[in-house]
């Protein structure tokens, strides 16, 4: 392997402000870097994403060879499928995987799902990967705009992932970067909530790869942080050239400003989490009947983000077993109207299955 590899790199992951589990995983093992976004819930997503990352690390090539990296991703797919068959995790678990191998200014990428690789190339942000998602297909077909895609109700539906199809296709390609470029790998917890121009601005202004990683995660949290958020940043050919820092305000002023900035970030995050929760709703089983809540189930740092909205007379045990099972944990929907529509559906289901009591 060439001894010339990226000198500066960083990665981090945050559970976000709404979820209790982090199903994302990432890898910073130069010259190999990767992010994965697990699917499946109940810890299965975590198992899928970590198996994928471990396998690609074991099987990665020794050079920035996209085809060989693609083979490692296919091995990772087989490993996730096999784990589920053996009862590790559960069937139906899956994960995205976006892996990059950096050799000097050469980047090899292998990619499946809706996590992304971007390159800030000569100051301009380029998305290197194409999402394998329903919304990306609609945008490519010209049926909706990219901006509409960001708010589309099916924006989290992906069309390709590791863990289901033994013949899964992997996108592979190689790109030539320039010294001073920045490579970003990120899960949709970042890219679904922080617009590209903001990502470009952070990548262009952060002093170090670590600063860029921290700032991007902060932006996702400030946008409500509803999903797990993971970023890996690699400075191609080392850190981009920066002007030496100007002598400025005395240090204590800087510290006060940092504290104020931190307070502001927490306040904005709390406000954003609250307004995100207000846009959500869920149905849950309580005392044997279906109850509608505004907000999201669970709590955040001890704070509840749900408000009881309406109780129904729909008995959970009068519904089909799958629905009853899902109601035990709560079924999340986009807003109260959607929750009421779903409840009306249950009422209809009960009405058709239960013959009316005979008239007196
Ligand atoms: Mg995600």
């Amino acid at each position: 392997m060439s001894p010339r590899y990226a000198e500066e790199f960083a990665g981090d992951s945050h559970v976000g402000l709404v979820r209790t589990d982090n199903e994302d995983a990432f890898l910073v093992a130069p010259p190999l870097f990767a992010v994965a976004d697990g699917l499946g819930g109940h810890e299965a997503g975590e198992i899928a994403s970590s198996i994928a990352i471990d396998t690609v690390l074991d099987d990665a090539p020794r050079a920035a060879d996209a085809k060989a990296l693609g083979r490692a991703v296919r091995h990772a797919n087989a490993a996730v499928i096999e784990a589920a068959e053996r009862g590790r995790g559960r069937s139906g678990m899956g994960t995205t995987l976006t892996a990059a191998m950096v050799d000097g200014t050469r980047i090899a990428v292998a990619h499946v799902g809706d996590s992304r690789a971007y390159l800030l190339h000569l100051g301009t942000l380029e998305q290197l990967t194409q999402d394998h998602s329903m919304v990306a297909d609609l945008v490519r077909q010209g049926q909706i705009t990219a901006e509409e895609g960001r708010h589309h109700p099916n924006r989290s539906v992906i069309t390709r992932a590791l863990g289901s199809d033994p013949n899964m296709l992997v996108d592979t390609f190689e790109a030539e970067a320039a010294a001073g470029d920045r490579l970003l790998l990120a899960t949709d917890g970042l890219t679904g909530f922080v617009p590209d121009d903001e990502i470009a601005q952070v990548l262009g202004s952060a002093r170090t790869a670590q600063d860029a990683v921290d700032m991007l995660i902060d932006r996702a949290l400030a946008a409500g942080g509803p999903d797990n958020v993971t970023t890996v940043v690699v400075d191609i050919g080392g850190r981009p050239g920066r002007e030496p820092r100007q002598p400025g305000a005395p240090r204590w002023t800087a510290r006060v400003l940092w504290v104020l900035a931190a307070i502001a970030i927490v306040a904005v995050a709390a406000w954003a989490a609250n307004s995100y929760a207000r846009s959500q709703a869920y149905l849950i089983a309580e005392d044997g009947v279906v109850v509608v809540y505004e907000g999201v189930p669970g709590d955040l740092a001890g704070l509840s983000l749900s408000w009881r909205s309406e109780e129904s007379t729909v008995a959970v045990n009068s519904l089909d077993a799958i629905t009853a099972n899902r109601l035990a944990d709560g079924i999340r929907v986009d807003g109260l109207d959607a929750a009421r529509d779903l409840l009306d559906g249950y009422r209809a289901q009960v009405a058709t299955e239960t013959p009316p009591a005979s008239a007196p």
Side-chain angles (χ1 to χ4, degrees):
M1 187 187 316
S2 161
R4 291 181 310 130
Y5 51 72
E7 293 157 28
E8 295 269 345
F9 42 81
D12 201 2
S13 185
H14 194 291
V15 66
L17 299 175
V18 172
R19 303 205 173 170
T20 50
D21 297 314
N22 193 342
E23 300 191 315
D24 285 0
F26 70 95
L27 177 69
V28 174
L32 180 63
F33 305 89
V35 298
D37 181 345
L39 325 151
H42 296 269
E43 291 169 13
E46 265 168 271
I47 293 170
S49 61
S50 60
I51 290 172
I53 291 282
D54 290 350
T55 309
V56 88
L57 177 61
D58 286 347
D59 294 1
R62 303 207 142 263
D65 174 343
K67 288 274 177 295
L69 188 58
R71 280 195 291 279
V73 171
R74 279 198 293 278
H75 294 167
N77 178 48
V80 174
I81 293 172
E82 193 191 318
E85 283 169 359
R86 290 184 174 187
R88 191 166 165 227
R90 60 156 123 166
S91 73
M93 71 179 180
T95 184
T96 72
L97 183 59
T98 301
M101 204 140 186
V102 179
D103 179 10
T105 53
R106 187 129 198 94
I107 305 172
V109 176
H111 159 74
V112 177
D114 68 348
S115 300
R116 291 181 184 169
Y118 287 87
L119 187 66
L120 187 76
H121 178 54
L122 305 173
T124 304
L125 189 69
E126 297 170 5
Q127 185 178 327
L128 299 180
T129 50
Q130 292 209 332
D131 293 353
H132 302 134
S133 71
M134 184 191 277
V135 158
D137 287 346
L138 292 174
V139 172
R140 274 194 289 273
Q141 291 159 11
Q143 298 194 23
I144 58 171
T145 64
E147 182 54 27
E148 283 163 352
R150 295 176 61 80
H151 307 287
H152 197 279
N154 293 333
R155 60 188 174 274
S156 57
V157 176
I158 60 176
T159 50
R160 227 192 277 177
L162 281 72
S164 51
D165 177 5
N167 300 311
M168 177 196 76
L169 291 173
V170 184
D171 287 357
T172 58
F173 57 89
E174 288 164 22
E176 189 62 37
D181 284 0
R182 266 187 171 148
L183 174 71
L184 166 68
L185 307 180
T187 59
D188 67 338
L190 177 77
T191 57
F193 304 96
V194 180
D196 282 3
D197 57 351
E198 221 176 304
I199 292 174
Q201 185 254 319
V202 170
L203 289 177
S205 63
R207 201 172 58 83
T208 63
Q210 184 67 57
D211 287 351
V213 160
D214 295 344
M215 287 163 73
L216 288 169
I217 290 177
D218 285 348
R219 296 290 175 104
L221 298 180
D227 193 6
N228 307 147
V229 49
T230 302
T231 62
V232 169
V233 172
V234 184
D235 284 342
I236 304 298
R239 187 188 295 186
R242 295 281 153 201
E243 294 291 313
R245 201 176 280 228
Q246 297 298 319
R251 271 192 185 177
W252 66 268
T253 317
R255 274 198 200 136
V256 168
L257 288 176
W258 274 115
V259 169
L260 289 176
I263 291 170
I265 287 168
V266 169
V268 167
W271 171 83
N274 192 73
S275 45
Y276 170 76
R278 285 286 183 186
S279 75
Q280 299 291 300
Y282 62 97
L283 288 80
I284 197 162
E286 259 183 31
D287 299 329
V289 295
V290 182
V291 179
V292 175
Y293 277 82
E294 186 180 1
V296 288
D299 61 25
L300 158 69
L303 275 179
S304 166
L305 285 172
S306 64
W307 303 269
R308 197 180 167 98
S309 169
E310 126 180 33
E311 192 176 315
S312 77
T313 55
V314 176
V316 174
N317 62 14
S318 65
L319 298 168
D320 65 90
I322 293 172
T323 305
N325 230 331
R326 290 180 63 209
L327 280 166
D329 288 335
I331 297 177
R332 292 183 56 177
V333 291
D334 276 340
L336 275 178
D337 287 344
R340 289 186 183 122
D341 287 349
L342 198 52
L343 185 57
D344 285 343
Y346 295 162
R347 287 191 178 109
Q349 188 183 337
V350 173
T352 54
E353 282 169 11
T354 314
S358 53

